[in-house]
Amino acid sequence: MKTFIKTYLLYGGLAALLFHSCSIKKFIPEGERLYTGAELTLDTIGNVTELKDVESELINLIEPNPNTTFLGMKPALYFHYKAQRKKPGFMYKFLNKSFGEEPVYFSEVNPQQVEELLLNRLDNNGFFYSRSSSETLLKEKFASVNYSATVQEPYTLENYEVDRDSLPIYNELLDLIKETPLSQNDRFDLDLLKAERERLDHGLKQRGYYNSHANLMIFEADTNQYKNRKFDLFLRLKKNVPKKTAIPYTIDSITVYPNYSIEGDTLPLSKQNRTTVNGTDFIQNEYYFKPKLLETYLLFKEGDLYNANTSKITSSRLSSLGSYKYVNIQYTELDTTLTDGDGGSLAADIYLAPLTKRSLRAEIQAVTKSNGFTGPGLLLTYNNRNLFKGGETLSLSTHFSYESQLTSGSNSSLSSIAWGVKGDLIFPRSIPFSPENFRYSVPKTKISAGVDFLKRSQLFTLSSINGSFGYTWKENRYVFHQLDPISINYTRLSNVTDEFQQILDDNPFLRRSFDQRFIAGLLYTFTYDEVSDLGKDYPIFFSTNIDLAGNFFSLIDGGSGTIFGSEYAQYAKMDADFRFYLRMGKEQTLVSRVYAGWGIPYGNSETLPFVKQFFSGGPYSVRAFNIRSLGPGNFNATSEDSTTDYFDRSGNLKLEANIEYRFPIFSYLKGAFFVDAGNVWLTGNYEDLENDQQTSNSSNTLFTDGKFESDWLNEVAAGFGFGLRVDIQNFVIRFDLASPFRVPYQPKNDRWNVPFFGNNGNKATLNFAIGYPF
């Protein structure tokens, strides 16, 4: 009964507020009328197609927009008026700041100007000789406008030609219009013509026309030959344009300054070191960068035609070396008189200002990991740039952290101390391939080696040695590749407590996953990422990882299954992560995500190594459940030993889906509502889990004896929640509160749950994390 009374009061109060919001007439000042909007009516003469698109475009021109309406009322305007009182009260101040709107009066409306805008837009779209009119509707305190337009049949394209001249630029234009997007019977469209002019200018700049500009070209439409609303389109240069804009330029000389100082060089050019490689001069105060190597990063040579795109990519390649903070390519015209010949010459000067060669950085971190461990950390990093005078970077780092599992309920007693040392040597080229083989971006070769120690309280100490050799490169603006043909990791479990030894003895599945000390193989990552492109309203993100291990060792181990006396892992693992972003306005985004991963042990292995297994639940997964509290399948550990539960709940197959709506609240504070679903499964017969920890109705495998378990959908966990995020220049502190509405390890008839109000013992889970979940 109490719940019913609270709900009644809530909705009753809301209804009363909305009722009062409709009585805004008394707030309208004397001599003003509230503008309630406009309607547009279109009539046509002749054959007019795509009328809905035309109408939508014209409606967007009608200004101003009236105050927003909800269920026939204007609550946002009502909040504004109430907040203007001498003592508005806290509630109306808050509502006005969050949702209020300034009133839009009819005195701000100019119907004649709108009529002109409508006619101008119709002309720009080829509907010449159309007409428009308006009618004003006045009431006591309100006013609206009815606009009407008579749309004539549009003019359509018949022929598109270049109005030729003797200048060589016209030959280039003739070639460029062969790829034009304009086609016969296209409606006259001024925006399309502007885009075509920009396309032509871009093409000319790739063909040597250094001084080309879109505004130098003009289109002329000729309708004299036709009686049925068609036109011929002619392209030419404007009259009296400077002659230098219509001729191509050749790069006559290239000079590179590898250690340029922004404050100015301290030595005269005569005393600086000059080296020439393939016609390119390198001038440097001291021998900073090997000219033979640096020359391979330049995409243009002496005698090449000027190409704006090649110049831009060259600048990007030089910036990606990691040795320079400032890259500037300047061109100087050497011949602009043009009295002889039909081309000009350019001198290219490339100024490269180096970064500080050595740097030491210390960071105090707040670490939050996908396995739920959170705590403070210290990171020290030393960098030595341009180590061998070829852009190489040596990076040495050491880290120390203390972490505790804050988001895992009964597992919160688990903590860990971790420290390690890592060294990276990065070459800004693909060894043994030359940078010339990669145009868009310079690939990088990375050699890494490190040692890590992890002491998990009450359980064990895990030490590891790792090393890798691989490549990273960008194929284009959106596509990124990472390939590690050599990746080795050796782990050693020690200081095992009696408690953890009992866990291993009770669970041979888990024990086998820790016995595989050697992990060696190949890693490959492919990423397609449009999210950083703010010009896209519907960006997507896709990433996939392929992990193959143990195949080389299996060829040389002589059938023993060990290498250097230790068992090695053999498996194939792959995952895929797809995200779709729907941007609504400047700061509102709807994000959906689907994730799938599958690992298959074979040959020398019966299970995946523990560090390679999938788990579900936690701040980057299904947030309504604690870390590692889901799966496999509907497995349910009834033991009160939370530590055992933590290690049991993993699998070699994972499926997840998420949807999240993100919105601003004020300033740096953002909000979100989300729904998560997913779980992990095992794809085989694992009798080790068939013990007294498992309920009688549970299953944990998705495949048994090669047979697909069709009931897997009933084992998907799901939850709903909301969050607060402090977002300061892309540094995000995140708090998410979530509650399950489907619990797979409950009896089949009791798996559905009302989030935050369920009666099956499932409480809300608070997640703390750094960064967005996806």
Side-chain angles (χ1 to χ4, degrees):
M1 175 63 90
K2 290 182 179 179
T3 302
F4 173 77
I5 293 174
K6 289 180 180 178
T7 304
Y8 176 80
L9 291 175
L10 174 64
Y11 286 102
L14 181 61
L17 181 62
L18 291 176
F19 174 78
H20 283 295
S21 70
C22 67
S23 57
I24 59 173
K25 183 187 296 185
K26 60 185 178 181
F27 297 108
I28 301 174
E30 202 60 42
E32 291 283 8
R33 287 184 172 88
L34 190 70
Y35 176 59
T36 58
E39 292 185 0
L40 176 64
T41 303
L42 297 181
D43 293 323
T44 61
I45 297 177
N47 182 21
V48 179
T49 60
E50 303 175 352
L51 191 61
K52 288 186 178 180
D53 293 337
V54 175
E55 182 178 17
S56 176
E57 190 172 350
L58 294 178
I59 288 174
N60 290 332
L61 296 174
I62 298 177
E63 294 181 342
N65 292 319
N67 291 107
T68 55
T69 301
F70 177 75
L71 299 178
M73 296 169 284
K74 300 182 183 297
L77 181 58
Y78 177 76
F79 298 149
H80 169 80
Y81 280 133
K82 295 294 286 185
Q84 308 312 307
R85 299 180 302 176
K86 291 184 178 180
K87 296 181 179 180
F90 170 77
M91 177 176 288
Y92 283 118
K93 281 185 177 180
F94 172 78
L95 291 173
N96 179 49
K97 184 176 181 180
S98 303
F99 309 103
E101 291 181 352
E102 295 275 351
V104 181
Y105 296 120
F106 183 68
S107 58
E108 304 171 31
V109 180
N110 188 339
Q112 184 177 356
Q113 184 180 29
V114 173
E115 289 179 36
E116 293 175 357
L117 288 173
L118 295 175
L119 284 180
N120 181 263
R121 184 58 56 89
L122 288 170
D123 286 344
N124 291 346
N125 283 275
F127 303 101
F128 298 113
Y129 310 113
S130 296
R131 300 187 300 274
S132 66
S133 61
S134 64
E135 178 186 6
T136 301
L137 304 179
L138 301 177
K139 296 183 179 180
E140 181 183 358
K141 286 288 186 177
F142 303 95
S144 61
V145 181
N146 289 338
Y147 294 98
S148 61
T150 302
V151 182
Q152 293 277 1
E153 181 179 345
Y155 281 76
T156 56
L157 177 64
E158 183 67 19
N159 297 302
Y160 175 25
E161 301 176 6
V162 175
D163 193 359
R164 299 193 61 177
D165 198 342
S166 59
L167 292 173
I169 192 173
Y170 282 100
N171 294 326
E172 302 295 346
L173 291 173
L174 278 171
D175 192 44
L176 287 170
I177 68 167
K178 293 177 182 178
E179 304 297 328
T180 181
L182 302 178
S183 59
Q184 193 177 41
N185 296 321
D186 278 354
R187 171 168 52 84
F188 179 92
D189 189 322
L190 186 61
D191 288 337
L192 289 181
L193 295 182
K194 289 180 180 178
E196 170 69 355
R197 198 168 61 168
E198 293 290 341
R199 186 190 71 86
L200 295 171
D201 177 60
H202 178 78
L204 289 171
K205 281 187 168 64
Q206 316 317 314
R207 301 183 178 211
Y209 290 84
Y210 175 72
N211 289 308
S212 172
H213 196 282
N215 290 334
L216 300 176
M217 290 176 278
I218 190 172
F219 286 110
E220 292 181 344
D222 183 6
T223 63
N224 293 328
Q225 301 184 53
Y226 306 102
K227 297 181 180 179
N228 55 348
R229 290 186 171 264
K230 290 188 175 294
F231 69 97
D232 291 333
L233 189 66
F234 295 94
L235 170 68
R236 64 173 178 82
L237 297 183
K238 292 180 179 178
K239 294 180 179 180
N240 301 321
V241 297
K243 193 173 182 180
K244 67 179 183 178
T245 64
I247 51 93
Y249 280 76
T250 301
I251 299 176
D252 185 69
S253 65
I254 304 172
T255 305
V256 182
Y257 300 88
N259 61 341
Y260 176 74
S261 173
I262 297 178
E263 290 77 18
D265 291 323
T266 57
L267 294 176
L269 288 178
S270 60
K271 295 185 178 181
Q272 293 183 5
N273 183 9
R274 177 186 292 267
T275 306
T276 302
V277 179
N278 295 330
T280 300
D281 292 329
F282 294 84
I283 299 177
Q284 42 194 328
N285 288 343
E286 59 183 81
Y287 197 76
Y288 179 78
F289 207 111
K290 296 176 181 178
K292 286 186 177 181
L293 275 178
L294 192 56
E295 192 270 340
T296 62
Y297 296 95
L298 308 182
L299 293 178
F300 53 85
K301 310 294 182 184
E302 183 181 334
D304 287 353
L305 284 173
Y306 167 79
N307 187 310
N309 191 50
T310 299
S311 181
K312 180 180 178 181
I313 296 177
T314 298
S315 178
S316 177
R317 286 160 64 89
L318 293 171
S319 297
S320 68
L321 288 174
S323 300
Y324 294 106
K325 62 182 176 182
Y326 172 85
V327 176
N328 184 21
I329 302 178
Q330 295 183 4
Y331 294 94
T332 304
E333 297 179 48
L334 299 179
D335 182 6
T336 57
T337 58
L338 309 176
T339 55
D340 298 317
D342 55 2
S345 298
L346 295 173
D349 294 307
I350 304 176
Y351 300 95
L352 308 175
L355 287 162
T356 303
K357 183 175 178 61
R358 298 177 182 86
S359 64
L360 180 64
R361 183 177 64 186
E363 294 182 15
I364 298 177
Q365 301 174 327
V367 180
T368 176
K369 295 182 178 178
S370 59
N371 62 4
F373 280 87
T374 301
L378 175 65
L379 175 65
L380 296 176
T381 303
Y382 167 79
N383 285 317
N384 189 328
R385 300 180 180 89
N386 199 34
L387 182 64
F388 306 122
K389 301 188 184 302
E392 305 83 4
T393 299
L394 173 66
S395 178
L396 300 176
S397 63
T398 180
H399 67 87
F400 175 85
S401 64
Y402 172 81
E403 301 160 5
S404 180
Q405 204 166 43
L406 301 180
T407 60
S408 294
S410 59
N411 290 333
S412 60
S413 61
L414 291 178
S415 63
S416 69
I417 296 176
W419 70 272
V421 178
K422 184 180 180 183
D424 295 325
L425 181 58
I426 301 173
F427 298 85
R429 49 194 171 275
S430 177
I431 299 173
F433 306 106
S434 168
E436 294 175 330
N437 297 325
F438 299 84
R439 181 173 178 83
Y440 180 80
S441 176
V442 176
K444 294 187 177 181
T445 301
K446 184 177 180 180
I447 302 173
S448 299
V451 178
D452 288 287
F453 293 88
L454 172 65
K455 181 176 178 56
R456 188 67 53 83
S457 64
Q458 309 170 24
L459 298 175
F460 58 82
T461 298
L462 193 67
S463 55
S464 66
I465 301 174
N466 56 78
S468 65
F469 173 88
Y471 309 97
T472 61
W473 73 97
K474 291 196 71 172
E475 183 178 335
N476 53 47
R477 183 180 180 184
Y478 304 118
V479 176
F480 173 82
H481 301 269
Q482 179 174 342
L483 173 64
D484 291 340
I486 301 175
S487 177
I488 300 175
N489 185 46
Y490 173 79
T491 60
R492 180 174 178 271
L493 188 66
S494 60
N495 299 327
V496 176
T497 65
D498 294 339
E499 178 184 3
F500 189 63
Q501 186 61 53
Q502 187 63 47
I503 295 173
L504 296 179
D505 293 341
D506 292 342
N507 193 336
F509 170 83
L510 181 63
R511 186 181 66 246
R512 290 196 297 269
S513 69
F514 273 99
D515 285 342
Q516 302 171 55
R517 297 182 178 180
F518 260 116
I519 304 174
L522 176 147
L523 299 174
Y524 171 71
T525 299
F526 170 87
T527 302
Y528 181 86
D529 186 0
E530 297 179 340
V531 180
S532 59
D533 188 348
L534 300 180
K536 288 184 176 289
D537 294 327
Y538 313 105
I540 64 172
F541 172 94
F542 174 75
S543 180
T544 184
N545 298 280
I546 299 174
D547 185 354
L548 302 175
N551 295 325
F552 176 74
F553 285 163
S554 69
L555 298 175
I556 64 174
D557 69 353
S560 66
T562 62
I563 192 76
F564 305 122
S566 298
E567 182 181 344
Y568 63 86
Q570 193 171 8
Y571 62 86
K573 181 183 175 185
M574 181 177 180
D575 63 64
D577 186 346
F578 177 80
R579 307 169 193 174
F580 176 77
Y581 294 75
L582 174 60
R583 288 171 174 160
M584 301 172 289
K586 291 184 178 180
E587 297 187 77
Q588 298 183 70
T589 308
L590 183 67
V591 187
S592 55
R593 171 181 176 260
V594 177
Y595 177 91
W598 190 4
I600 304 175
Y602 61 89
N604 194 49
S605 299
E606 297 179 37
T607 67
L608 290 178
F610 184 76
V611 294
K612 296 292 184 177
Q613 293 174 9
F614 297 105
F615 65 87
S616 191
Y620 297 89
S621 180
V622 185
R623 285 163 279 184
F625 296 83
N626 291 320
I627 193 74
R628 290 187 182 270
S629 64
L630 285 174
N634 59 4
F635 174 81
N636 185 17
T638 58
S639 169
E640 294 183 359
D641 187 347
S642 60
T643 304
T644 302
D645 183 17
Y646 175 87
F647 287 102
D648 278 339
R649 298 194 165 212
S650 61
N652 65 316
L653 187 144
K654 179 177 180 178
L655 298 174
E656 278 188 3
N658 316 76
I659 186 167
E660 179 168 295
Y661 170 61
R662 300 169 184 168
F663 56 90
I665 298 178
F666 63 86
S667 187
Y668 298 115
L669 185 63
K670 317 295 181 183
F673 293 101
F674 55 84
V675 176
D676 305 320
N679 207 337
V680 294
W681 290 267
L682 299 171
T683 58
N685 297 322
Y686 294 99
E687 297 179 357
D688 303 328
L689 292 178
E690 305 291 341
N691 52 40
D692 59 0
Q693 294 181 9
Q694 196 172 358
T695 60
S696 59
N697 74 309
S698 68
S699 67
N700 51 64
T701 60
L702 197 61
F703 295 94
T704 304
D705 296 327
K707 181 180 178 181
F708 181 73
E709 297 291 339
S710 60
D711 196 42
W712 71 274
L713 193 59
N714 290 322
E715 299 171 357
V716 173
F720 166 80
F722 55 89
L724 294 176
R725 291 86 188 275
V726 180
D727 189 343
I728 303 175
Q729 295 181 347
N730 295 322
F731 176 77
V732 179
I733 301 174
R734 174 165 56 94
F735 299 90
D736 288 334
L737 184 66
S739 178
F741 60 83
R742 181 168 179 79
V743 185
Y745 48 77
Q746 293 290 348
K748 282 190 176 181
N749 296 328
D750 195 26
R751 292 180 179 175
W752 289 101
N753 179 46
V754 179
F756 298 104
F757 298 98
N759 56 3
N760 59 2
N762 294 288
K763 300 180 181 179
T765 299
L766 177 63
N767 296 275
F768 166 76
I770 304 297
Y772 287 105
F774 44 83

